[in-house]
């Protein structure tokens, strides 16, 4: 069965709509570099990622004999290295694996796979954790949802009682309104009855109370007599008026207006007091939750600080014995101790180089450099020419206020421009020097010659020519000697030499003759030297050499006493890892002048008995 198989849903799960699909768990294997110890450093190991476990073997052919070590990923910490793009660390408590891939893309694939398996094993996607929730709520969860705790009930009890009081006040006010409305309706009826009675009185007054003489005939008198109210009509009207008066008297006696007014006043006062109490309770609750929030925030800050300290302590413990314990942000040495250790290591290397040079009985035969180099085009022609033009512009650029003079010794001047990126020192360097007794062509070819490379550069442990693109363009892979407490480094670069014709005679120096020569070394990638075992250094270095001839008397033969070479050297190096900035700048200030003096003296000794090649 494949790892991508998804089991079918059960009927209960389908009813509840649960997604119980099992995600595919990645498996990986391949060769990675693993840090072993300070004696052996980085070693190639066969690493297997399977079933939530990261295991490693000496080679892929030893898998049948058991792994050399394994680590469970359920509670593992997986971190990309801060400065090394090819390295990642996997740790569980005190167990730490330092691993390096051949390129950053491979590291990302491994890290993604490790994170996926960690998520699955820790309960966020594994097959065993998919049904832990169940399709129905448990009895305890239902009980917790349907009831409140005693403490929470006490916090809300006063507010609920006050709300019930408001409901009672609402009923009382409603009854009072109904009573008053009944009385007002009766008053309205009385007002209508009084108006009818007054109209009848006015009519009676007009009929019986008028003393004016009537001037009319007998027919008119008979008409008036016919309109006179009878005693029975008057009695009926008086009876109706009595009923209205009796109704008003009974209503007035049934309603206690003073009591109703007192009750209404008390009710409104109670409503206002209850509302004020509700506002007070809500304010207290708000203050309570605000204080509780502040306490929770304070607890969270303390927990985060404790977790941070614990992580820092764990990292410190984990890095003991690791590659970053000596070189890196967690270095156990301070800057002064780091510098002293590097200085002692460099001095030991120099002593060993002097001993080896004294033991040599033969000298390397330096071939005469060609006058010009005309090579057929190759795959990197455009890239090489672009670097040549870039370095020529750097060489011809004058130093300004951004450059600092860090060393001066006679004709030698070394400048530096401080530049730092991501905590890594990338200070560009620029130096000028006058070498007596050699020409620019001889100096450039000596710097380019592969046979003498280990003579003037004592930091090289091993180098190899990966590819020869032409007679003037080679691709080198150099492994540098490890100087404690730094990690071992390597770099792959393309080295190219060519003569540079002046664009016009005004560009020449005083007494300059012939062509100038330029050697350009710049970092490249090559399949035969992947980023794996060492920390990769990148660089862009150029040496520009010009030949100078001093004036001499007519007929005097030209000798090496009359010639000299002015070199302009520029270097922009990324060390590929972290080191104390003050240490890097102090060592570069010391090593660059030493390198220029050494290569100058070696070149003079190599060509002193040879014919002059201008």
């Amino acid at each position: 069965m494949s790892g991508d198989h998804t089991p079918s849903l059960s009927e209960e799960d389908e009813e509840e709509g649960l997604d119980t699909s099992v995600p595919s768990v990645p498996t990986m294997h391949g060769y990675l570099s693993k840090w072993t110890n300070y004696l052996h450093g980085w070693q190639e190991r066969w690493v297997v990622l399977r079933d939530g476990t990261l295991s490693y073997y000496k080679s892929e052919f030893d898998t049948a004999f058991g792994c050399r070590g394994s680590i469970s990923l359920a509670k593992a910490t997986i971190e990309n290295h801060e400065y090394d793009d090819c390295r990642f660390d996997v740790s569980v408590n005190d167990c730490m694996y330092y691993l390096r891939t051949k390129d950053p893309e491979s590291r990302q694939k491994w890290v993604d796979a490790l994170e996926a398996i960690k998520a699955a094993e820790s309960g966020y996607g594994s097959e065993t954790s998919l049904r832990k929730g169940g399709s129905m709520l448990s009895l305890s969860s239902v009980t917790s949802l349907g009831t409140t705790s005693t403490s929470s009930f006490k916090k809300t009890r006063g507010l609920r009682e006050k709300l019930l009081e408001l409901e009672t006040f609402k009923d009382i006010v409603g009854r009072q309104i109904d009573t008053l409305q009944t009385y007002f309706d009766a008053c309205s009826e009385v007002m209508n009855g009084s108006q009818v009675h007054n109209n009848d009185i006015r009519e009676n007054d007009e009929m019986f109370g008028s003393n004016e003489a009537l001037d009319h005939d007998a027919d008119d008198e008979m008409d008036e007599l016919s309109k006179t109210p009878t005693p029975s009509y008057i009695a009926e009207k008086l009876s109706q008026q009595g009923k209205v008066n009796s109704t008003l008297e009974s209503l007035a006696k049934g309603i206690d207006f003073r009591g109703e007014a007192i009750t209404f006043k008390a009710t409104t006062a109670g409503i206002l007091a209850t509302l004020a109490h509700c506002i007070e309770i809500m304010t207290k609750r708000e203050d309570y939750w605000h204080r509780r929030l502040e306490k929770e925030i304070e607890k969270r800050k303390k927990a985060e600080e404790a977790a941070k300290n614990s992580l820092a302590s764990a990292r410190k413990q984990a890095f003991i014995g690791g590659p970053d314990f000596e070189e890196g942000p967690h270095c156990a040495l301070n800057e002064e101790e780091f510098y002293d250790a590097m200085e002692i290591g460099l001095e030991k290397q120099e002593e060993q180089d002097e001993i080896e040079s004294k033991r040599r009985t033969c000298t390397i035969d330096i071939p005469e450099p060609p006058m010009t180099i005309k090579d057929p085009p190759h795959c990197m022609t455009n890239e090489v020419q672009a670097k040549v033009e870039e370095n020529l512009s750097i060489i011809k650029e004058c130093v300004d206020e951004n450059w600092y003079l860090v060393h001066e010794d006679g004709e030698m001047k070394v400048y530096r421009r401080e530049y730092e990126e991501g905590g890594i020192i990338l200070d560009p360097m620029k130096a000028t020097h006058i070498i007596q007794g050699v020409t620019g062509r001889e100096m450039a070819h000596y710097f380019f010659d592969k046979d003498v490379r280990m003579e003037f550069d004592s930091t090289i442990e091993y180098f190899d020519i990966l590819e020869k693109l032409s007679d003037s363009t080679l691709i080198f892979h150099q492994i540098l000697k490890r100087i404690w407490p730094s990690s071992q480094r390597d770099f792959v670069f393309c080295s190219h030499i060519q003569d540079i014709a002046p664009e016009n005679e005004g560009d020449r120096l005083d007494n300059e003759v012939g062509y100038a020569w330029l050697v350009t070394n710049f970092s490249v990638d090559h399949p035969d030297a992947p980023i794996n075992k060492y920390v990769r250094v990148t660089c862009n270095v150029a040496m520009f050499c010009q030949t100078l001839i001093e004036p001499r008397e007519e007929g005097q033969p030209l000798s090496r006493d009359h010639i000299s070479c002015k070199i302009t050297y520029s270097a922009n190096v990324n060390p590929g890892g972290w080191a104390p900035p003050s240490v890097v700048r102090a060592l570069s200030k010391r090593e660059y002048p030493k390198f220029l003096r050494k290569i100058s003296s070696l070149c003079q000794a190599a060509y002193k008995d040879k014919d002059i090649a201008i």
Side-chain angles (χ1 to χ4, degrees):
M1 295 176 65
S2 64
D4 296 333
H5 174 68
T6 303
S8 60
L9 296 174
S10 65
E11 294 181 359
E12 294 180 358
D13 294 334
E14 289 178 355
E15 292 176 359
E16 295 294 332
L18 294 177
D19 182 11
T20 57
S21 59
V22 180
S24 60
V25 179
T27 59
M28 293 185 66
H29 53 77
Y31 280 105
L32 299 179
S33 290
K34 181 181 180 296
W35 176 266
T36 54
N37 50 50
Y38 287 118
L39 181 62
H40 300 288
W42 296 93
Q43 297 293 325
E44 193 174 67
R45 294 290 182 262
W46 178 258
V47 181
V48 178
L49 176 60
R50 184 188 299 117
D51 297 333
T53 303
L54 185 68
S55 308
Y56 73 93
Y57 307 81
K58 189 173 183 180
S59 69
E60 59 181 313
F61 306 104
D62 295 342
T63 56
F65 303 102
C67 65
R68 292 198 163 197
S70 63
I71 190 170
S72 176
L73 298 176
K75 296 183 180 180
T77 301
I78 304 159
E79 290 185 346
N80 289 329
H81 195 263
E82 188 174 1
Y83 301 106
D84 192 342
D85 293 337
C86 298
R87 177 181 150 190
F88 63 95
D89 303 335
V90 184
S91 63
V92 175
N93 297 329
D94 295 336
C95 182
M96 174 73 78
Y97 285 2
Y98 308 97
L99 303 170
R100 298 185 81 247
T101 59
K102 62 180 181 180
D103 52 54
E105 291 77 13
S106 299
R107 181 187 75 170
Q108 192 59 43
K109 292 180 181 178
W110 275 94
V111 171
D112 291 343
L114 290 170
E115 292 289 357
I117 290 184
K118 177 185 174 182
E121 291 299 319
S122 60
Y124 292 97
S126 65
E127 183 178 1
T128 58
S129 66
L130 287 173
R131 297 179 180 270
K132 286 181 180 179
S135 60
M136 297 181 65
L137 292 174
S138 63
L139 182 60
S140 59
S141 63
V142 173
T143 305
S144 62
L145 291 174
T147 60
T148 56
S149 63
T150 305
S151 59
S152 62
F153 177 74
K154 290 181 179 179
K155 298 296 180 183
T156 60
R157 184 177 180 181
L159 183 60
R160 289 179 179 177
E161 287 183 347
K162 294 303 175 182
L163 291 176
L164 292 176
E165 288 180 6
L166 288 175
E167 289 291 335
T168 303
F169 289 141
K170 174 185 174 183
D171 295 339
I172 295 173
V173 172
R175 288 196 297 270
Q176 288 182 321
I177 291 173
D178 293 339
T179 302
L180 291 175
Q181 186 64 42
T182 303
Y183 178 74
F184 291 148
D185 292 343
C187 291
S188 177
E189 294 178 359
V190 168
M191 292 297 295
N192 293 333
S194 298
Q195 186 176 2
V196 171
H197 177 66
N198 292 334
N199 292 336
D200 293 339
I201 292 174
R202 282 196 298 271
E203 291 177 359
N204 293 331
D205 290 341
E206 290 175 357
M207 288 185 294
F208 297 103
S210 178
N211 295 323
E212 295 179 359
L214 297 175
D215 186 13
H216 49 263
D217 54 14
D219 293 333
D220 291 335
E221 289 180 0
M222 293 299 295
D223 292 335
E224 291 297 333
L225 290 174
S226 65
K227 295 179 181 180
T228 301
T230 62
S232 62
Y233 175 77
I234 294 173
E236 183 180 358
K237 291 294 183 181
L238 292 175
S239 176
Q240 292 178 355
Q241 184 67 30
K243 290 180 180 180
V244 172
N245 293 335
S246 62
T247 301
L248 291 175
E249 290 177 359
S250 62
L251 286 173
K253 291 180 179 179
I255 298 176
D256 184 5
F257 287 100
R258 183 177 181 83
E260 292 292 338
I262 294 173
T263 304
F264 184 77
K265 184 178 180 180
T267 304
T268 53
I271 291 173
L272 294 176
T274 303
L275 289 174
H277 196 183
C278 289
I279 294 173
E280 182 181 359
I281 292 174
M282 294 174 67
T283 304
K284 289 182 178 179
R285 289 189 63 190
E286 183 179 0
D287 294 340
Y288 164 77
W289 286 111
H290 183 70
R291 291 192 302 270
R292 185 170 178 179
L293 177 62
E294 289 180 347
K295 290 181 180 179
E296 291 296 330
I297 292 174
E298 187 66 24
K299 288 181 181 178
R300 179 177 178 179
K301 289 181 180 179
K302 291 181 179 179
E304 289 178 350
E305 187 67 23
K308 185 177 179 180
N309 294 336
S310 299
L311 181 61
S313 177
R315 284 182 174 179
K316 186 175 180 181
Q317 295 295 328
F319 273 103
I320 295 177
D324 282 341
F325 181 67
E326 294 180 344
E327 178 188 7
H330 305 282
C331 180
L333 304 176
N334 58 37
E335 293 188 6
E336 184 176 355
E337 294 172 337
F338 196 100
Y339 177 76
D340 292 341
M342 292 285 292
E343 191 174 25
I344 292 173
L346 291 172
E347 289 176 354
K348 288 182 179 180
Q349 280 191 1
E350 291 178 2
E351 293 175 359
Q352 293 176 357
D353 293 338
E354 290 179 1
I355 294 173
E356 291 178 1
S357 62
K358 291 178 181 180
R359 288 178 179 176
R360 293 191 184 100
T361 56
C362 60
T363 59
I364 299 175
D365 186 16
I366 305 296
E368 182 178 350
M371 291 298 294
T372 59
I373 298 178
K374 295 181 180 180
D375 294 324
H378 47 78
C379 60
M380 292 185 60
T381 300
N382 295 333
E383 186 176 354
V384 169
Q385 289 305 315
K387 283 294 181 181
V388 168
E389 294 175 3
E390 176 186 344
N391 285 318
L392 279 176
S393 63
I394 295 174
I395 292 293
K396 295 178 180 179
E397 180 184 355
C398 297
V399 293
D400 53 16
E401 64 273 6
N402 295 325
W403 291 83
Y404 302 93
L405 181 65
V406 296
H407 180 81
E408 184 175 8
D409 183 11
E411 297 291 343
M412 182 189 298
K413 295 181 179 180
V414 180
Y415 300 87
R416 179 180 68 209
R417 186 175 64 212
E418 293 186 356
Y419 178 65
E420 184 176 340
E421 183 176 333
I424 300 178
I425 300 301
L426 304 175
D427 292 348
M429 303 292 294
K430 193 172 184 179
T432 58
H433 187 37
I434 302 294
I435 306 172
Q436 300 293 331
V438 295
T439 66
R441 186 160 69 111
E442 293 168 342
M443 184 67 207
H445 279 83
Y446 187 84
F447 181 64
F448 176 76
D449 196 343
K450 60 181 177 58
D451 295 327
V452 296
R453 184 167 296 275
M454 297 188 69
E455 294 286 331
F456 63 79
D457 192 349
S458 60
T459 63
I460 301 175
E461 180 179 282
Y462 166 82
F463 82 94
D464 185 23
I465 299 176
L466 300 179
E467 188 173 354
K468 182 177 180 181
L469 302 177
S470 66
D471 290 338
S472 63
T473 308
L474 305 174
I475 296 180
F476 289 90
H477 178 215
Q478 288 189 176
I479 300 175
L480 305 180
K481 296 177 181 177
R482 182 172 184 250
I483 304 173
W484 188 88
S486 66
S487 301
Q488 194 166 16
R489 286 166 163 78
D490 72 337
F491 63 101
V492 179
F493 64 95
C494 177
S495 183
H496 173 77
I497 184 173
Q498 76 175 66
D499 52 342
I500 305 296
E503 296 180 359
N504 53 68
E505 292 298 325
D507 293 339
R508 289 180 176 273
L509 300 174
D510 295 339
N511 304 326
E512 181 182 354
V513 297
Y515 286 173
W517 288 81
L518 176 70
V519 180
T520 300
N521 296 339
F522 60 94
S523 294
V524 295
D525 294 327
H526 198 276
D528 292 342
I531 302 174
N532 191 5
K533 190 174 181 180
Y534 308 103
V535 178
R536 179 61 52 89
V537 177
T538 58
C539 66
N540 184 20
V541 177
M543 180 178 283
F544 187 70
C545 305
Q546 297 166 284
T547 303
L548 307 178
I549 297 182
E550 296 179 359
R552 63 187 186 282
E553 296 180 1
E554 186 177 355
Q556 184 179 2
L558 180 65
S559 66
R560 291 195 175 272
D561 295 333
H562 300 109
I563 63 174
S564 61
C565 171
K566 179 183 180 181
I567 63 172
T568 304
Y569 182 79
S570 69
N572 191 351
V573 179
N574 184 340
W578 183 92
S582 60
V583 174
V584 176
R585 291 189 171 115
L587 291 175
S588 63
K589 178 181 177 180
R590 164 186 164 172
E591 292 302 314
Y592 276 99
K594 185 187 296 184
F595 163 75
L596 293 175
R597 282 193 294 267
K598 185 173 184 178
I599 193 173
S600 300
S601 61
L602 290 174
C603 184
Q604 289 172 334
Y607 286 102
K608 66 179 181 179
D609 297 329
K610 293 183 178 294
D611 295 336
I612 299 173
I614 298 178

